Amino acid sequence: MNHNHEILITKQDVAPYIYFVCSMAQRGRMYGGLSGKSDYIGGVFDRWINIIPESVIFNKYFLPKIADNLEVISDYYEYDPKKSGIAPDVLGVKIGKKAIPFVEYVNKWRALKNAPQIEVKSFKKGQYMVSLRNQSYDKKYLVMAETNLDSDYLLPFFEQTVIGEDIYNKLKMDDNVFIKENLNKDLSSVTKIKRDNTNLGSLKLITVCLANDFMRYSNLCGEGGSPFYIKEINETRTPKTLPQTMTFSEWINKKIDNLYSWKENKLDNNKKHTLIDVYVENADKIQVLKNSKSSITIYTISKAKINDTELEANKTYIIKFQLLDRSGAKSGEYFMHKSIIDKIPNKEDIMLDNIKQYIR
């Protein structure tokens, strides 16, 4: 698996989803927590943008590894999950024009025997965590991808009606009429739209794993519980005299290999705030100097590592934590730091073989 393999997202990739979302919005049937006609369509696009990677990553990355004439079948049905159940993100595969279903609908969605059950979860590039709400995912594959869409990814869909010289000219203001003085240039005219890039963004594969494994490696935040995660680790000035310290290993318990859980929340002492597990190398070589409600100051005796941050010897660092507030959440959700998702056993080859054996 190549984590650095970038898959480009084009206008053609997104067009079917634009149509699908517009169709549901027009009918006022926005399932999945959206409130129907009270949601303007601009906000709807952003909420549904996470479904785009399903077809892109399978058609451009996974399926070509099996054969050249395969195409994923995405879920474009409209239904209420509370009544019909939840279909997997990948409904099946087409071999040429022949459809091979992985599920069938008998008043509710149900898996076909031996068919691979696959969920695709996408996360924005700037997100620190990956998460999962267990909606009967126990035996399913999880394909996790990182999306990096351009901020103006919808712009190419307006080019025939909006991006024109006549529209731009209508937006021009007559500075001679309104501006008497603008020394600091605080007031500016509308900028002419230019878009040279024909791609809308890109995505990268994070991992393919089993949902059971993800839940085993991650932290469950229950109803009203919020994850407290490491946001950044920065070097800081080392004091001339080190205070009395305790080792970092006294704060954590080994969970799996170099993955550690926290013994307790010594930061804000809130039982509803769950400190997210960390990957640590040479935990006994890290000393804790002090902590606040949102940070821990450490000193390294030798080289060490926390999550994906390499720590040099004889240096002082501040570990800064961030809370993702989900105090109003009514259900549980599993969280893991995105930087260490590769510590979960990878099942990409097994998933591809499962697909290959099932469709032949």
Side-chain angles (χ1 to χ4, degrees):
M1 179 183 63
N2 184 0
H3 284 283
N4 296 316
H5 181 70
E6 187 176 63
I7 305 166
L8 296 178
I9 301 173
T10 66
K11 183 178 177 180
Q12 290 70 33
D13 294 327
V14 176
Y17 296 97
I18 297 291
Y19 193 102
F20 179 62
V21 170
C22 287
S23 172
M24 287 196 295
Q26 196 171 60
R27 294 174 62 190
R29 300 185 66 180
M30 300 308 299
Y31 297 122
L34 302 183
S35 56
K37 291 182 179 179
S38 62
D39 287 294
Y40 289 109
I41 200 164
V44 171
F45 281 133
D46 271 351
R47 298 190 201 188
W48 279 73
I49 201 66
N50 63 329
I51 66 176
I52 291 174
E54 297 168 13
S55 62
V56 177
I57 201 165
F58 271 87
N59 290 334
K60 295 186 176 183
Y61 181 75
F62 289 130
L63 295 183
K65 292 185 174 187
I66 299 174
D68 294 331
N69 61 338
L70 301 182
E71 181 183 352
V72 74
I73 303 174
S74 297
D75 181 9
Y76 291 130
Y77 283 112
E78 296 180 16
Y79 55 91
D80 185 345
K82 294 178 181 178
K83 297 177 180 178
S84 301
I86 300 174
D89 291 326
V90 177
L91 293 190
V93 169
K94 281 185 180 179
I95 306 176
K97 294 184 178 181
K98 181 183 178 182
I100 308 293
F102 294 170
V103 291
E104 63 182 3
Y105 188 79
V106 185
N107 298 314
K108 279 186 177 292
W109 288 109
R110 67 184 186 189
L112 291 173
K113 186 178 180 181
N114 298 325
Q117 300 299 297
I118 303 166
E119 293 294 329
V120 181
K121 301 297 177 185
S122 64
F123 306 90
K124 293 180 180 178
K125 185 177 181 180
Q127 286 183 246
Y128 291 90
M129 289 185 294
V130 291
S131 65
L132 178 73
R133 286 193 295 268
N134 186 15
Q135 298 171 309
S136 301
Y137 290 162
D138 300 63
K139 297 180 180 180
K140 294 183 179 181
Y141 295 104
L142 286 184
V143 174
M144 295 191 167
E146 179 184 270
T147 56
N148 186 23
L149 284 168
D150 295 344
S151 59
D152 60 352
Y153 71 93
L154 287 176
L155 192 58
F157 294 95
F158 303 140
E159 57 191 0
Q160 298 299 320
T161 55
V162 175
I163 309 174
E165 196 71 25
D166 55 337
I167 299 294
Y168 171 68
N169 289 332
K170 287 182 180 180
L171 300 178
K172 283 183 177 179
M173 302 298 294
D174 191 338
D175 295 348
N176 294 325
V177 173
F178 295 100
I179 300 178
K180 302 305 178 185
E181 188 173 296
N182 188 22
L183 291 177
N184 297 323
K185 305 298 180 183
D186 294 327
L187 200 64
S188 60
S189 298
V190 65
T191 303
K192 193 170 186 178
I193 294 175
K194 293 181 180 179
R195 185 179 172 88
D196 300 323
N197 186 11
T198 56
N199 297 315
L200 308 187
S202 63
L203 65 85
K204 291 181 180 179
L205 177 65
I206 299 175
T207 195
V208 179
C209 64
L210 293 176
N212 282 342
D213 286 341
F214 179 84
M215 290 184 280
R216 185 163 58 94
Y217 275 73
S218 59
N219 295 95
L220 174 62
C221 292
E223 179 181 345
S226 300
F228 212 2
Y229 63 93
I230 292 178
K231 184 178 181 181
E232 57 187 3
I233 302 176
N234 299 314
E235 185 181 345
T236 188
R237 182 179 60 85
T238 299
K240 292 181 180 179
T241 304
L242 293 177
Q244 187 175 2
T245 63
M246 61 189 303
T247 62
F248 195 56
S249 56
E250 293 179 70
W251 281 57
I252 53 180
N253 283 321
K254 179 166 282 197
K255 186 175 179 180
I256 305 170
D257 298 326
N258 283 85
L259 189 67
Y260 290 82
S261 60
W262 300 86
K263 290 182 178 180
E264 58 181 305
N265 180 359
K266 294 182 180 180
L267 300 182
D268 64 4
N269 296 305
N270 190 323
K271 292 182 179 180
K272 283 287 188 178
H273 297 168
T274 301
L275 285 168
I276 299 303
D277 293 349
V278 289
Y279 176 85
V280 185
E281 293 179 7
N282 288 336
D284 58 335
K285 303 300 181 183
I286 302 172
Q287 295 179 328
V288 176
L289 302 184
K290 61 180 180 179
N291 71 276
S292 69
K293 289 185 176 181
S294 61
S295 69
I296 300 174
T297 302
I298 60 171
Y299 179 78
T300 53
I301 298 173
S302 66
K303 287 185 177 181
K305 187 175 184 179
I306 297 178
N307 286 349
D308 61 343
T309 302
E310 301 282 353
L311 307 176
E312 297 179 21
N314 304 312
K315 299 281 187 178
T316 301
Y317 296 89
I318 297 178
I319 306 172
K320 295 183 179 180
F321 291 78
Q322 182 77 37
L323 184 73
L324 176 62
D325 184 17
R326 57 185 302 277
S327 54
K330 300 299 182 183
S331 60
E333 189 168 359
Y334 292 86
F335 289 91
M336 188 174 185
H337 206 282
K338 190 168 67 174
S339 67
I340 58 173
I341 200 73
D342 60 347
K343 308 307 176 187
I344 302 175
N346 186 273
K347 303 295 182 181
E348 179 181 336
D349 291 341
I350 295 174
M351 181 190 73
L352 292 176
D353 187 63
N354 193 173
I355 296 173
K356 184 177 180 180
Q357 296 301 322
Y358 185 77
I359 66 175
R360 70 177 185 178

